[in-house]
């Protein structure tokens, strides 16, 4: 065990509280590459003994029955015209999530969809995707999907279901349907038909993440149902109040694309936007912010009221002043509000106030008014009609629950909502005692399917025909990539059955007016392109200015709240999960295992609390707490493990919804067990409120281990013999204030210069002869830390493209997660009010790779084009390469992680990439399969490669366009231009590894009046 | 010890285990008849060899193009007709096998004018397909390091099975290779993904 020099310098960057405190536990993770499993397997059979035994038996083995294995080739009988085996086809389709839809292009190998990318021509995705869209392909191949219609939990068939529907006469008032919100014109048509046929039935629309307050808040002021789209590329100053527009947001891809446009800095003359974020949780948007201030969930009212008054005072005279008795903010916070107001006014018509979906409607109305006075409406914020959408309605849901509780409901049709998980705590009795018949269209055998009379499997969107509209009005068609794998039907077909018709989803699509009115060639073109080209598609509404004087009721509501606010000590704040969303991705293991970008926890949800709250309640990580709440005179309680997160407000417990869904699985995979069920936090949540007051907390005696990856694969620069300089200048994350950059544009080299590292790394001495890289293509990559928001889309894209296995919670706890891209999240500075930095690290493809130099069997070699290649069949698993890698990007297959992969899940694999066996090292390959494909295509077409021929998976997924990849010999390529920027730097340059992936430094753009305050954020006074 | 090493290096190498592999196929298809005597071009059946990494085994439909009218009484074609009627594919036995971790691409070789016979031998003279060349990595590298030996001049079709190189073949080909920038990769990443 090497001696570790205790460093007396206060760390600038730290990855977790243990890291900051230099805990002993953490040392073992940093010093040992593989902290566990470095002990001999057992006393009786050591490795040495094993080898000697094998050597002896080798002579005897191998002669018995060595027949060549027979491999069969099964060609088609009738070959389909458009499939050439070996060449993938690409089809455009659309994925809907709530009220928005994303145009995607799906790669299909021999009729099997294998990888999803964004459709460059579709306005809501513009060629990129987010982690949900990327991982949705795994849901298609989910082996636990319900495969046949089930009648009282026994297998049945659709004919019986159809017969039952047609034979039972329905009395309107006793039927109810529960669905999520829709943006599809065909579904809307069927919905209208249903309402016409059963006028007194109930149709409730419920979204856990709902836009309802946004829509009704805008309706209050402009009398139309609208949704905003933010155009961050046109704004200089952005204020987010509880709006995670870069992360979990219905239009996140568009937001990321436009935000990165105004954020990106290439030269010192470039402008950069400024982001203020005021939130009660920690989000990707908050981590990106230049100024981030905490509020407790209920204090959004106070903040907006004070901001309103400040804006009114500083120039927006039309704004009505809101009556506030006493400010809850301290002097520093008040200063912040004043500076913020000044900044917003200075950037009239070039600013955005974005407000979180969950916030109450009067705050949405107020935000609209402020945006109006700042001349942002119709310029940086456009408003779009939602008339044709089926919007979420809390009132309808409450009415449905009431109806159920009254026992008057005969039939309840549930369209893909886990009713029991969401609502069972609101019912007065077991649902089976209240509703006679439940019909459930869903995909998994969850608790709702158990109580259903009929459970009908729902087709995945990649198996069904349909259509979709995105928020900006773009219409597109959903085309299937594969026939339904099981006996499933789509939502449209289900509603059609309820109407008494038996129509296929293709015919239902064609009957919808918008498509039936188009010629066959336009229809085909729409399917091919992935969107309908039409001027009429745009649904922008030009907003007229409203008179603020007439909006008295908004102000009354706000003032009423402020004067009557009575909350208890603890608040539970509910959020949508980055992993399971609202629970629908419970069985999607790519999403479950990808560490949450905020907490770095995989597989489960936790109760997040601040450091002070933990101290006050004597809590440590993994302690299980009991949370009790009183809603409508009833007491509810849940138990959840605790996790301490710096940067969240005190006395607030942040709980992720969507977990705790109990599913019955068909396939027993060794890493899925009750241990990763998570906690269903909905019982203590009041429906429609995003936070619960009157929470009491009590500590239980139990602990629950959590798989958190924040300290794994640490790049601990202390061990690299750096001295006191490291305390002053950060090395791994290099950043600067944008104003300092303008004065000193090669600041990135300052650190290296202090350590006497030459600017030009070819002047560094090396023991090894360098390769000849004079001829192209030479592959390189550049990652712009300034725009990376840490959303994890790149990591999941890599997993999809490269067949990376899922290892399960226990293995993640041992540090053995397999994702090739590691998203490092660093805190900076003060424990109470940290700043953040995010850095994705994958194999950097060093020219002087330390891993190649130590491989005893030359399994990892360097090729002529600069790639550090990996030959899996040669690897004997010494793991010396991973030990030598200073960036800790190599991943070892400790077990045969793919041995129990069900056949159907294997269909999701990319056939162009090997599946790795046990005992083999793997790492990022710069998508060598894509490079080979592009080179071969170019050779076959007898031409040279051009920039843009090769786009690696992470690059296409990134909606912030943070990753560039290409030929560094070509001076005009995107990547060469990025690398030539003055703030481009090499990670751990002094090691002379000469990595091909370099980073662009991060910039912060604080307001000059708040610069000293940046390190000492304002606190909120308590009443 | 030396004899053990020799034993495994000879009997374990693809030259011994793979060359000469001539499995029985479900239908006794004779390339000698179809490609040799009848003169059918390789690409009539193996259609994707110029476009894709795989030179596929033809679907039953391709055989039925002729055999809908030819050989209607021939019992050897019973399995073929059964496959066509039932929709079940014929289960051919694969002769030329590469391990799963090695990715070979036909199209780039065919487009670089490497003849079919260079790797597959005189298939047009085979009653039953037999593997002629070891297809081991060293054998592939022999050509990759010395492509002028096996690449054909522009005017010779790759499917011309009986072509033999002329005397100054390598000299002509060196020029051809430089001109067309034929650069067979010698790095691991070319095939090992």
């Amino acid at each position: 065990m090497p001696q570790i020099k205790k460093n007396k310098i206060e760390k600038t960057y730290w990855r977790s509280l243990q890291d900051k405190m230099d805990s002993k536990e953490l040392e073992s993770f940093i010093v040992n590459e593989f902290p566990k499993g470095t002990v001999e397997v057992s006393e009786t059979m050591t490795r040495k003994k094993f080898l000697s035994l094998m050597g002896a038996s080798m002579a005897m083995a191998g002669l018995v029955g060595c027949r060549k294995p027979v491999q069969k080739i099964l060609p088609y009988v009738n070959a389909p015209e458009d499939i050439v085996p070996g060449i993938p086809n690409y089809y455009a389709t659309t994925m809907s999530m709530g009220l928005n839809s994303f145009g995607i292009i799906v790669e299909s190998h021999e009729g099997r969809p294998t990888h999803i990318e964004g459709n460059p021509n579709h306005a809501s995705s513009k060629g990129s995707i987010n982690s949900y869209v990327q991982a949705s392909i795994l849901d298609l191949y989910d082996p636990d999907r319900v495969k046949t219609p089930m009648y009282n939990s026994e297998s049945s068939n659709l004919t019986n279901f159809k017969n039952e529907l047609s034979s039972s006469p329905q009395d309107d008032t006793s039927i109810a349907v529960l669905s999520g919100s829709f943006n599809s014109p065909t579904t809307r048509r069927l919905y209208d038909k249903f309402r016409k046929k059963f006028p007194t039935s109930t149709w409730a629309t419920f979204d856990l993440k709902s836009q309802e307050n946004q829509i009704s808040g805008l309706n209050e002021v402009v009398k139309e149902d609208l949704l905003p789209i933010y155009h961050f590329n046109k704004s200089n100053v952005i204020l987010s109040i509880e709006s995670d527009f870069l992360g979990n947001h219905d239009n996140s891809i568009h937001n990321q694309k436009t935000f990165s446009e105004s954020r990106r800095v290439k030269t010192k003359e470039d402008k950069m936007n400024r982001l203020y974020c005021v939130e009660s949780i920690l989000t990707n948007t908050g981590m990106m912010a230049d100024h981030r201030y905490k509020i407790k969930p209920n204090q959004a009212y106070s903040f907006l009221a004070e901001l309103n008054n400040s804006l009114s005072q500083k120039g927006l005279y039309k704004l009505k002043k809101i009556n506030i008795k006493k400010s809850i903010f301290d002097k520093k916070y008040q200063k912040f509000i004043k500076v913020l107001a000044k900044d917003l006014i200075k950037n009239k018509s070039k600013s955005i106030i974005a407000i979180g979906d969950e916030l109450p409607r009067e705050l949405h109305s107020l935000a609209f008014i402020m945006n109006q006075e700042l001349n942002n409406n119709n310029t940086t914020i456009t408003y779009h009609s939602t008339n044709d959408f089926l919007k979420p309605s809390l009132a309808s849901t409450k009415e449905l629950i009431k109806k159920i509780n009254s026992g008057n409901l005969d039939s309840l049709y549930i369209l893909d909502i886990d009713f029991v998980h969401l609502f069972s705590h609101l019912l007065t009795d077991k649902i089976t005692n209240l509703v006679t018949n439940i019909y459930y269209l869903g995909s998994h055998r969850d608790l709702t399917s158990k109580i259903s009379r009929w459970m009908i499997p729902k087709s995945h969107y990649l198996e069904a025909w349909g259509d979709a509209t995105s928020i900006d009005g773009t219409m597109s068609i959903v085309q299937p990539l594969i026939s339904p794998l099981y006996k499933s039907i789509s939502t449209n077909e289900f509603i059609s059955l309820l109407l008494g018709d038996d129509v296929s989803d293709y015919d239902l699509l064609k009957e919808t007016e918008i498509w039936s009115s188009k010629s066959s060639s336009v229809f085909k073109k729409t399917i091919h392109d992935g969107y309908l080209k039409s001027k009429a598609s745009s649904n922008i509404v030009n907003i007229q200015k409203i008179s603020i004087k007439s909006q008295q009721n908004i102000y009354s509501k706000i003032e009423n709240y402020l004067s009557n606010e009575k909350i208890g000590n603890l608040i539970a704040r509910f959020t949508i999960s980055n992993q399971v969303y609202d629970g629908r991705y419970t069985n999607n293991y790519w999403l479950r295992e990808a560490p949450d970008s905020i907490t770095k926890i995989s597989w489960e949800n936790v109760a997040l609390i601040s450091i002070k709250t933990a101290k006050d309640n004597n809590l440590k990580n993994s302690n299980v707490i009991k949370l009790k709440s009183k809603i409508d005179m009833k007491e509810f309680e849940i138990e959840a493990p605790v996790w301490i997160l710096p940067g969240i407000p005190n006395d607030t417990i942040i709980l992720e919804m969507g977990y705790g869904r109990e599913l019955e699985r068909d396939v027993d995979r060794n890493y899925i067990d009750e241990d990763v069920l998570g906690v269903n936090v909905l019982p203590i949540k009041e429906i429609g409120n995003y936070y619960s007051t009157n929470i009491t907390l009590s500590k239980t005696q139990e602990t629950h281990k959590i798989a958190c990856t924040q300290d794994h694969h640490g790049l601990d620069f202390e061990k690299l013999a750096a001295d006191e300089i490291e305390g002053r200048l950060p090395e791994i994350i290099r950043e600067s204030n944008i104003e300092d950059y303008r004065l000193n544009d090669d600041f990135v080299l300052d650190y290296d210069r202090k350590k006497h590292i030459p600017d030009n790394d070819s002047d560094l001495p090396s023991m090894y002869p360098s390769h000849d890289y004079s001829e192209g293509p030479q592959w390189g990559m550049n990652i712009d830390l300034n725009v990376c928001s840490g959303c994890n889309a790149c990591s999941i894209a890599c997993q999809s493209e490269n067949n990376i296995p899922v290892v399960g919670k226990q293995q993640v706890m041992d540090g053995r997660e397999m994702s090739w891209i590691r998203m490092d999240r660093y805190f900076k500075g003060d424990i109470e009010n940290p700043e953040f930095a995010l850095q994705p690290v994958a194999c950097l493809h060093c020219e002087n790779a330390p891993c190649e130099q130590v491989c005893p069997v030359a399994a990892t070699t360097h090729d002529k084009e600069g790639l550090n290649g990996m030959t899996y069949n040669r690897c004997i698993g010494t793991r010396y390469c991973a030990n030598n890698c200073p960036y800790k990007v190599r991943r070892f297959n400790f077990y045969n992680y793919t041995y129990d992969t069900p056949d159907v899940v294997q269909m999701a694999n990319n056939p162009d990439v090997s599946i790795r066996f046990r005992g083999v090292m793997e790492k990022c390959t710069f998508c060598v399969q894509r490079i080979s494909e592009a080179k071969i295509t170019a050779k076959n077409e007898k031409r040279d490669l051009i920039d843009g021929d090769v786009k690696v998976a992470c690059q296409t997924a990134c909606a912030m366009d943070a990753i560039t990849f290409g030929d560094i010999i070509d001076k005009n390529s995107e990547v060469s231009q990025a690398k030539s920027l003055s703030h481009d730097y090499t990670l751990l340059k002094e090691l002379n590894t000469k990595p091909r992936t370099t980073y662009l430094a991060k910039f912060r753009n604080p307001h000059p009046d708040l610069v000293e305050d940046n390190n000492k954020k304002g606190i909120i006074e308590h009443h | 010890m030396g004899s053990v090493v020799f034993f495994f290096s000879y009997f374990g190498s693809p030259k011994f285990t793979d060359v000469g592999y001539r499995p029985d196929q479900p239908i006794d298809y004779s390339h000698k008849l179809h490609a040799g005597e009848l003169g059918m071009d390789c690409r009539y059946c193996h259609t994707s060899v110029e476009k894709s990494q795989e030179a596929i085994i033809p679907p039953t439909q391709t055989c039925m193009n002729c055999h809908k009218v030819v050989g209607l009484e021939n019992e050897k074609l019973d399995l073929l007709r059964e496959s066509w009627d039932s929709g079940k594919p014929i289960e051919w036995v694969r002769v030329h096998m590469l391990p799963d971790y090695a990715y070979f691409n036909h199209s780039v070789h065919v487009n670089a004018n490497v003849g079919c016979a260079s790797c597959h031998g005189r298939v047009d003279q085979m009653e039953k397909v037999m593997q002629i060349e070891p297809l081991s990595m060293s054998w592939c590298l022999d050509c990759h390091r010395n492509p002028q030996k096996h690449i054909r001049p522009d005017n010779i079709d790759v499917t011309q099975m009986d072509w033999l190189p002329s005397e100054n073949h390598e000299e002509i080909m060196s020029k051809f290779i430089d001109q067309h920038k034929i650069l067979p990769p010698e790095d691991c990443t070319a095939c090992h993904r």
Side-chain angles (χ1 to χ4, degrees), chain A residues 68 71-73 75-79 85 87 861 863-864 871-873 911-914 936 939-940 942 944, chain B residues 18 51-52 56-57 59-61 87 89-92 94 101 103 105 107-108 111 183 187-189 192-193:
Chain A
K68 196 178 171 72
Q71 218 183 79
K72 296 265 174 78
I73 304 179
Y76 291 108
V77 175
N78 243 320
I87 300 183
T861 53
D863 82 359
K864 273 207 314 277
T871 311
Y872 305 118
N873 50 306
D912 296 325
V913 177
S914 309
I936 287 170
K939 276 193 186 173
N940 287 345
K942 307 239 188 303
D944 288 328
Chain B
D18 292 358
K51 298 170 246 169
S52 148
I56 50 140
I57 300 288
T60 315
Q61 189 179 30
I90 303 167
E91 297 191 10
W92 301 100
R94 190 171 183 148
Y101 48 75
Y103 286 85
N105 187 303
S107 67
V108 72
N111 285 319
L183 301 158
D187 298 311
C188 309
T189 48
H192 290 276
R193 303 177 196 159

Side-chain angles (χ1 to χ4, degrees), chain A residues 43-54:
Chain A
E43 250 65 56
T44 46
M45 183 58 72
T46 63
R47 234 205 304 263
K48 195 162 149 192
K49 194 159 180 210
F50 180 75
L51 272 177
S52 66
L53 269 177
M54 283 314 291

Side-chain angles (χ1 to χ4, degrees), chain A residues 208 225 273 311 452 547 777 831:
Chain A
L208 194 57
D225 279 345
N273 66 25
L311 284 169
S452 307
S547 140
I831 265 188

